[in-house]
Amino acid sequence: MAVTVRAESHGGSLLILAELRPKQREFHLYSLTLPNGGVDGIGIPTRIRAEGGLRATGPATTRAKTRVLRPAGLDVGLPVYEDGVVTLELTVRRVEGTDSARVFVTYGACSETAGCLPPVRDREVPLRLGTADY
């Protein structure tokens, strides 16, 4: 999974945008709505959080469309995102006196025919905060 993270200012709000791009065809990123323990213990929900110079002001969101994936040989339906790049949005506020932040992304992906990839928990992405736009 390729992951890129950036901060943008939109209409007076500061957003952390994390783009997650599956590198393998037919693998789908688990949804933000997947329960913390997965479905019957299968799957890991997609998560994003910020530390250091940023604090979240609400939950992460995405405009990506979900569907139910049913991996071969398993009797479960897993909420995943459709093919393509998934952009997570996290609205944050700056903490005074800091110019850097850390963003952590947790994710996993599964295929209907090729199994599931090992989960990635709290992948740290350093983020340097400029002063002009925030």
Side-chain angles (χ1 to χ4, degrees):
M1 185 83 51
V3 179
T4 59
V5 175
R6 68 186 187 279
E8 290 185 5
S9 182
H10 285 274
S13 294
L14 179 58
L15 294 177
I16 298 299
L17 301 171
E19 292 182 351
L20 293 92
R21 180 183 316 266
K23 292 181 181 179
Q24 296 172 291
R25 291 178 47 89
E26 299 183 15
F27 277 84
H28 301 273
L29 183 70
Y30 294 119
S31 169
L32 289 166
T33 62
L34 186 70
N36 283 332
V39 176
D40 293 339
I42 300 170
I44 181 173
T46 299
R47 298 286 186 256
I48 182 172
R49 64 187 171 86
E51 291 183 358
L54 298 173
R55 296 290 182 267
T57 60
T61 62
T62 185
R63 292 186 181 105
K65 299 203 182 306
T66 59
R67 71 179 193 88
V68 175
L69 182 130
R70 299 190 183 283
L74 299 176
D75 190 27
V76 297
L78 302 169
V80 298
Y81 294 112
E82 293 181 349
D83 286 339
V85 176
V86 174
T87 301
L88 305 177
E89 298 181 7
L90 182 65
T91 304
V92 295
R93 66 174 173 79
R94 284 221 37 196
V95 176
E96 292 296 321
T98 59
D99 63 355
S100 65
R102 296 181 307 163
V103 175
F104 296 90
V105 183
T106 295
Y107 55 87
C110 209
S111 166
E112 288 178 320
T113 59
C116 300
L117 300 175
V120 175
R121 296 179 193 277
D122 291 327
R123 177 176 173 181
E124 183 177 351
V125 183
L127 185 64
R128 185 95 177 138
L129 301 176
T131 56
D133 297 315
Y134 313 122

